[in-house]
Amino acid sequence: MNRPNILVVNDDGIEAEGIRVLAEQASRIGDVWVAAPDHQCSAMSQRISIFEPLVIRRVDFPAPVKTAWSICGTPADCVKAALGHLLPVRPDLVFSGINNGFNTGFDIAYSGTIGAAMEGLMNGIPAFAFSNCYRGDFALIERELFPIMEELLAEPAGPGLIWNVNFPGGGLGDFRGILRDRRVAPTQLYLDHYTLEPQADGSLHMHNRGVPAAPDLAPEGTDVHAVLNGYISIGRVRCNVL
């Protein structure tokens, strides 16, 4: 069987540890190209750049990939640029991540990681999103990611759907297993917590410091409940326009 062509993208920036790990594991499956933002682009959803140019640079990348590009744009911009102009072939798969922070519950709506995967899906390419606990280590991912990739490649997500995989925090000793078919929780995992700072000119600076939810916040069967209780969460997310 021919090796698939895989586009790897993220929203944390091309220098993030997560995209290196994802590209490295993806290279065991197929031929990999990387197109990623040159800066942090979390919570950009599927935003694209309209009025400013996309500055694109070919860069060295610390994983066995065909080519890597750093793009001054959003995650969705990276997918558009890669599909329309950069890749010499049409990719068979789009892998997005590994995000620094969970993409579960209502937070999915804001996620640039999910946005990049949806951009791939809207172009007719099967897409997968991978996320980790915020500032989590990669020991569990290094062990479990490749077999999960193989499993999901053998089972298409279905029309208008992407696969969404979240790895829990903690070490290998805290890992409780894999929960599949998790539905999206009807809540945020990172609860909004805003603080206001009055400024000398009369304006206000408002900062959002998200507070992680308690393990019992979301009902069983959901992605939030799974990751907060030490499980890998595997589920599907629907594209609203397909």
Side-chain angles (χ1 to χ4, degrees):
M1 179 182 295
N2 293 332
R3 285 166 59 85
N5 297 302
I6 305 172
L7 171 62
V8 172
V9 65
N10 77 347
D11 73 357
D12 290 320
I14 196 160
E15 296 183 352
E17 179 70 1
I19 196 170
R20 180 197 65 79
V21 173
L22 182 57
E24 195 168 69
Q25 295 296 319
S27 70
R28 300 171 62 184
I29 293 172
D31 295 331
V32 175
W33 283 263
V34 171
D38 66 358
H39 61 290
Q40 172 58 252
C41 285
S42 290
M44 288 207 176
S45 189
Q46 208 168 335
R47 171 188 167 186
I48 60 173
S49 302
I50 301 295
F51 299 109
E52 59 272 14
L54 299 180
V55 180
I56 301 171
R57 295 182 174 88
R58 193 185 301 260
V59 297
D60 293 330
F61 194 80
V65 303
K66 293 290 188 181
T67 310
W69 293 274
S70 168
I71 300 173
C72 180
T74 69
D77 284 334
C78 293
V79 176
K80 285 182 174 292
L83 299 185
H85 301 282
L86 300 178
L87 266 64
V89 295
R90 178 175 171 82
D92 303 296
L93 306 166
V94 171
F95 286 174
S96 184
I98 299 168
N99 191 63
N100 181 26
F102 298 130
N103 279 305
T104 56
F106 289 168
D107 297 299
I108 285 171
Y110 310 112
S111 168
T113 303
I114 299 292
M118 291 300 182
E119 188 66 38
L121 186 67
M122 285 168 52
N123 282 274
I125 303 170
F128 306 72
F130 301 93
S131 303
N132 192 19
C133 175
Y134 180 63
R135 294 182 177 173
D137 65 44
F138 286 87
L140 178 63
I141 291 174
E142 295 278 8
R143 191 183 77 182
E144 299 291 337
L145 177 56
F146 181 70
I148 287 174
M149 286 178 172
E150 290 190 307
E151 173 188 334
L152 299 185
L153 287 173
E155 182 183 354
L161 298 165
I162 66 166
W163 282 115
N164 187 34
V165 180
N166 283 271
F167 293 87
L172 290 171
D174 301 313
F175 176 51
R176 299 180 65 184
I178 301 174
L179 293 177
R180 297 167 174 82
D181 298 320
R182 297 301 92 182
R183 66 184 185 276
V184 176
T187 183
Q188 287 181 248
L189 188 150
Y190 301 106
L191 303 178
D192 292 332
H193 179 72
Y194 288 98
T195 58
L196 296 177
E197 295 180 0
Q199 303 299 302
D201 64 0
S203 65
L204 292 173
H205 287 189
M206 188 166 71
H207 303 272
N208 186 6
R209 303 284 186 260
V211 178
D216 60 352
L217 171 73
E220 290 190 27
T222 65
D223 49 10
V224 170
H225 185 273
V227 295
L228 290 182
N229 286 277
Y231 295 92
I232 294 173
S233 170
I234 300 178
R236 296 171 172 90
V237 178
R238 179 170 299 281
C239 177
N240 288 333
V241 299
L242 293 178

